[in-house]
Amino acid sequence: MKKGWFFNGLGIRGNFYDTKIYSYEELPPIKIDLDDDFEWLLKQPELKEHIYRYPNMSLSRLIELEAQTNIKFPKAFVNFVKNWEISYRIPKAMGYQFLLPKECIKTIGNYSGFLLRFMAGDYGEEVCLYLDKTGQHFVVQGFSTIAILEDKETSFFYGEKQLDIEKENVYFCATSFNEFIYRIWIEGSICEKNEYLPNWLKQDYTNHYLTLK
């Protein structure tokens, strides 16, 4: 499966307007402990300009989706949906918005299971949990030809009932939901010049890409 990370250049690996797929393998290593309750993020102050979250990202919607799939969703994802305070710490960047669809999409082929869309952005990109039938998961970014945000309830890829994600414009982008939230938080913080971002983390990101060059 293709791997990649979709964001702008941060002024570090490219300029701020250079929005594209970057190498997943070249992302800086994570140097803080990521717990399923997001205590690491809840220690940060609430931001005035934080990522938007639609009301349909609710526990009742999540219960409906779990019933559709008969899969127990990851603890970190459930905790994130239950606690709105977490998203208030994530900077608004790339036009990303948290939201949930009315249904998951079945996947076939080597990655048989389900896609659960939880985020969409201004570039036609959508971010999903991939869940296999045992509940193991990772995160993928997929790209549509037009934005889907006119219909907040519509599932990823415009009502497709099943997909082979190896044959679609879909990229593996995080080993877990926790990892994805960390990447969005730190890269959004760098992009939006979040004053609360610990300086050593920003410097570590910068030094990592300087070393690669």
Side-chain angles (χ1 to χ4, degrees):
M1 184 177 179
K2 301 187 295 288
K3 292 184 178 182
W5 176 255
F6 184 74
F7 213 83
N8 66 48
L10 301 176
I12 298 173
R13 61 190 166 218
N15 65 52
F16 280 104
Y17 304 101
D18 197 8
T19 301
K20 64 180 184 180
I21 297 286
Y22 289 92
S23 168
Y24 173 79
E25 289 81 3
E26 291 182 357
L27 288 171
I30 297 173
K31 296 185 178 178
I32 63 173
D33 293 329
L34 305 180
D35 62 284
D36 288 340
D37 295 318
F38 294 95
E39 291 297 329
W40 65 270
L41 187 51
L42 288 168
K43 292 175 182 176
Q44 299 294 316
E46 182 177 325
L47 302 172
K48 291 182 180 179
E49 294 291 326
H50 56 74
I51 198 165
Y52 183 73
R53 171 173 164 155
Y54 282 95
N56 65 21
M57 195 171 202
S58 64
L59 186 57
S60 60
R61 174 62 60 83
L62 197 64
I63 291 170
E64 292 172 3
L65 293 167
E66 266 196 335
Q68 288 176 24
T69 62
N70 199 29
I71 294 173
K72 188 174 180 62
F73 292 164
K75 182 180 178 182
F77 186 67
V78 175
N79 287 341
F80 185 89
V81 172
K82 288 166 64 176
N83 189 350
W84 283 61
E85 292 293 324
I86 301 169
S87 59
Y88 296 159
R89 273 83 179 157
I90 303 173
K92 182 179 180 180
M94 298 283 289
Y96 278 129
Q97 301 166 70
F98 289 116
L99 65 169
L100 287 176
K102 286 184 175 178
E103 60 182 2
C104 295
I105 292 178
K106 290 182 180 179
T107 58
I108 56 175
N110 290 326
Y111 296 95
S112 176
F114 293 90
L115 286 180
L116 169 55
R117 188 272 311 274
F118 65 85
M119 177 182 275
D122 286 347
Y123 293 84
E125 74 276 22
E126 301 188 288
V127 187
C128 298
L129 284 184
Y130 163 75
L131 297 145
D132 72 14
K133 293 176 182 178
T134 70
Q136 296 298 309
H137 79 285
F138 54 79
V139 181
V140 299
Q141 291 173 309
F143 298 86
S144 311
T145 55
I146 56 174
I148 54 85
L149 290 179
E150 291 83 5
D151 181 358
K152 312 301 186 301
E153 306 293 295
T154 300
S155 243
F156 177 103
F157 284 115
Y158 309 98
E160 293 286 345
K161 296 302 179 184
Q162 59 181 26
L163 293 171
D164 184 339
I165 56 178
E166 290 187 294
K167 296 180 179 179
E168 301 290 342
N169 193 18
V170 172
Y171 292 80
F172 173 101
C173 68
T175 58
S176 67
F177 181 72
N178 314 51
E179 178 188 335
F180 178 81
I181 293 300
Y182 173 82
R183 295 288 180 200
I184 287 295
W185 169 74
I186 191 168
E187 297 214 358
S189 293
I190 294 170
C191 181
E192 298 300 315
K193 297 179 173 59
N194 175 13
E195 63 181 312
Y196 303 116
L197 176 67
N199 190 59
W200 75 268
L201 278 176
K202 180 180 179 181
Q203 194 61 50
D204 187 70
Y205 239 70
T206 302
N207 290 343
H208 175 82
Y209 280 107
L210 287 174
T211 301
L212 290 178
K213 290 179 181 179

